[in-house]
Tab-separated table of all heavy atoms in Angstrom:
chain	number	residue	atom	x	y	z
M	156	VAL	N	93.585	131.710	296.811
M	156	VAL	CA	94.887	130.998	296.994
M	156	VAL	C	95.490	130.435	295.672
M	156	VAL	O	96.698	130.599	295.390
M	156	VAL	CB	94.765	129.984	298.155
M	156	VAL	CG1	96.091	129.118	298.227
M	156	VAL	CG2	94.458	130.683	299.408
M	157	LYS	N	94.586	129.778	294.974
M	157	LYS	CA	95.001	129.003	293.706
M	157	LYS	C	95.748	129.999	292.790
M	157	LYS	O	96.517	129.620	291.903
M	157	LYS	CB	93.753	128.323	293.118
M	157	LYS	CG	93.603	127.026	293.782
M	157	LYS	CD	92.537	126.217	293.026
M	157	LYS	CE	92.052	125.175	293.958
M	157	LYS	NZ	90.596	124.825	293.937
M	158	GLU	N	95.328	131.237	292.846
M	158	GLU	CA	95.906	132.221	291.912
M	158	GLU	C	97.252	132.571	292.265
M	158	GLU	O	98.033	133.328	291.386
M	158	GLU	CB	95.054	133.470	291.798
M	158	GLU	CG	93.640	133.127	291.255
M	158	GLU	CD	92.968	134.087	290.560
M	158	GLU	OE1	93.793	135.137	290.034
M	158	GLU	OE2	91.822	134.040	290.287
M	159	GLY	N	97.638	132.413	293.525
M	159	GLY	CA	99.014	132.684	293.819
M	159	GLY	C	99.404	134.214	293.944
M	159	GLY	O	100.535	134.519	293.557
M	160	ILE	N	98.439	135.066	294.163
M	160	ILE	CA	98.684	136.528	294.138
M	160	ILE	C	99.472	136.858	295.494
M	160	ILE	O	99.049	136.327	296.589
M	160	ILE	CB	97.314	137.327	294.018
M	160	ILE	CG1	96.613	136.877	292.771
M	160	ILE	CG2	97.574	138.801	294.166
M	160	ILE	CD1	95.237	137.329	292.693
M	161	GLU	N	100.457	137.734	295.187
M	161	GLU	CA	101.323	138.166	296.468
M	161	GLU	C	100.784	139.398	297.061
M	161	GLU	O	100.017	140.189	296.472
M	161	GLU	CB	102.634	138.385	296.113
M	161	GLU	CG	103.256	137.027	295.555
M	161	GLU	CD	104.651	137.040	295.526
M	161	GLU	OE1	105.457	137.988	295.598
M	161	GLU	OE2	105.263	135.850	295.482
M	162	ASP	N	101.177	139.616	298.406
M	162	ASP	CA	100.820	140.875	299.186
M	162	ASP	C	99.267	141.101	299.169
M	162	ASP	O	98.904	142.209	298.653
M	162	ASP	CB	101.596	142.088	298.567
M	162	ASP	CG	103.052	141.871	298.844
M	162	ASP	OD1	103.391	141.330	299.741
M	162	ASP	OD2	103.754	142.343	297.869
M	163	VAL	N	98.553	140.252	299.586
M	163	VAL	CA	97.029	140.487	299.635
M	163	VAL	C	96.622	141.033	301.008
M	163	VAL	O	97.139	140.578	301.938
M	163	VAL	CB	96.309	139.073	299.353
M	163	VAL	CG1	94.804	139.215	299.596
M	163	VAL	CG2	96.689	138.586	297.897
M	164	VAL	N	95.671	141.907	301.025
M	164	VAL	CA	95.141	142.401	302.285
M	164	VAL	C	93.582	142.089	302.202
M	164	VAL	O	93.005	142.444	301.192
M	164	VAL	CB	95.434	143.862	302.545
M	164	VAL	CG1	94.661	144.235	303.810
M	164	VAL	CG2	96.841	144.235	302.670
M	165	ALA	N	93.012	141.311	303.068
M	165	ALA	CA	91.564	141.138	303.051
M	165	ALA	C	90.870	142.307	303.810
M	165	ALA	O	91.477	142.770	304.800
M	165	ALA	CB	91.270	139.823	303.821
M	166	VAL	N	89.805	142.925	303.186
M	166	VAL	CA	89.344	144.096	303.567
M	166	VAL	C	87.875	143.877	304.012
M	166	VAL	O	87.095	143.365	303.029
M	166	VAL	CB	89.479	145.221	302.521
M	166	VAL	CG1	88.712	146.415	303.028
M	166	VAL	CG2	90.793	145.506	302.138
M	167	SER	N	87.504	144.270	305.152
M	167	SER	CA	86.119	144.167	305.495
M	167	SER	C	85.539	145.583	305.161
M	167	SER	O	86.061	146.537	305.629
M	167	SER	CB	85.815	143.968	307.094
M	167	SER	OG	84.419	144.096	307.285
M	168	PRO	N	84.400	145.734	304.374
M	168	PRO	CA	83.933	146.939	303.923
M	168	PRO	C	83.135	147.812	305.000
M	168	PRO	O	82.727	148.860	304.811
M	168	PRO	CB	83.052	146.689	302.678
M	168	PRO	CG	82.539	145.245	302.935
M	168	PRO	CD	83.679	144.628	303.747
M	169	ASP	N	82.924	146.975	306.104
M	169	ASP	CA	82.234	147.648	307.309
M	169	ASP	C	82.465	146.893	308.571
M	169	ASP	O	83.014	145.773	308.468
M	169	ASP	CB	80.788	147.810	307.031
M	169	ASP	CG	80.028	146.449	306.473
M	169	ASP	OD1	80.358	145.471	307.142
M	169	ASP	OD2	79.263	146.471	305.608
M	170	VAL	N	82.240	147.460	309.712
M	170	VAL	CA	82.562	146.753	310.940
M	170	VAL	C	81.776	145.495	311.152
M	170	VAL	O	82.347	144.523	311.711
M	170	VAL	CB	82.378	147.953	312.055
M	170	VAL	CG1	82.542	147.231	313.415
M	170	VAL	CG2	83.243	149.088	311.928
M	171	GLY	N	80.521	145.418	310.734
M	171	GLY	CA	79.792	144.297	310.669
M	171	GLY	C	80.344	142.974	310.108
M	171	GLY	O	80.102	142.048	310.439
M	172	GLY	N	81.178	143.329	309.091
M	172	GLY	CA	81.799	142.195	308.348
M	172	GLY	C	83.031	141.730	308.759
M	172	GLY	O	83.842	140.841	308.021
M	173	VAL	N	83.615	142.164	309.974
M	173	VAL	CA	84.966	141.824	310.364
M	173	VAL	C	85.113	140.353	310.428
M	173	VAL	O	86.218	139.876	310.149
M	173	VAL	CB	85.267	142.634	311.532
M	173	VAL	CG1	86.623	142.220	312.124
M	173	VAL	CG2	85.383	144.039	311.316
M	174	ALA	N	84.234	139.628	311.149
M	174	ALA	CA	84.443	138.279	311.477
M	174	ALA	C	84.614	137.475	310.115
M	174	ALA	O	85.388	136.616	309.956
M	174	ALA	CB	83.319	137.650	312.121
M	175	ARG	N	83.777	137.887	309.048
M	175	ARG	CA	83.857	137.160	307.818
M	175	ARG	C	85.243	137.464	307.181
M	175	ARG	O	85.895	136.484	306.632
M	175	ARG	CB	82.683	137.745	307.020
M	175	ARG	CG	82.559	137.057	305.527
M	175	ARG	CD	81.255	137.595	304.854
M	175	ARG	NE	80.139	137.589	305.465
M	175	ARG	CZ	79.461	138.660	306.035
M	175	ARG	NH1	79.889	139.834	305.772
M	175	ARG	NH2	78.375	138.637	306.693
M	176	ALA	N	85.610	138.752	307.118
M	176	ALA	CA	86.923	139.063	306.336
M	176	ALA	C	88.119	138.496	307.171
M	176	ALA	O	89.026	138.051	306.640
M	176	ALA	CB	87.081	140.552	306.407
M	177	ASN	N	88.037	138.372	308.496
M	177	ASN	CA	89.050	137.782	309.329
M	177	ASN	C	89.163	136.348	309.084
M	177	ASN	O	90.225	135.770	308.900
M	177	ASN	CB	88.660	137.861	310.911
M	177	ASN	CG	89.876	137.900	311.648
M	177	ASN	OD1	90.961	138.311	311.296
M	177	ASN	ND2	89.771	137.342	312.959
Side-chain angles (χ1 to χ4, degrees):
V156 167
K157 276 185 199 142
E158 300 216 13
I160 300 166
E161 296 199 340
D162 294 328
V163 173
V164 179
V166 181
S167 176
D169 48 42
V170 174
V173 171
R175 185 180 303 113
N177 202 34

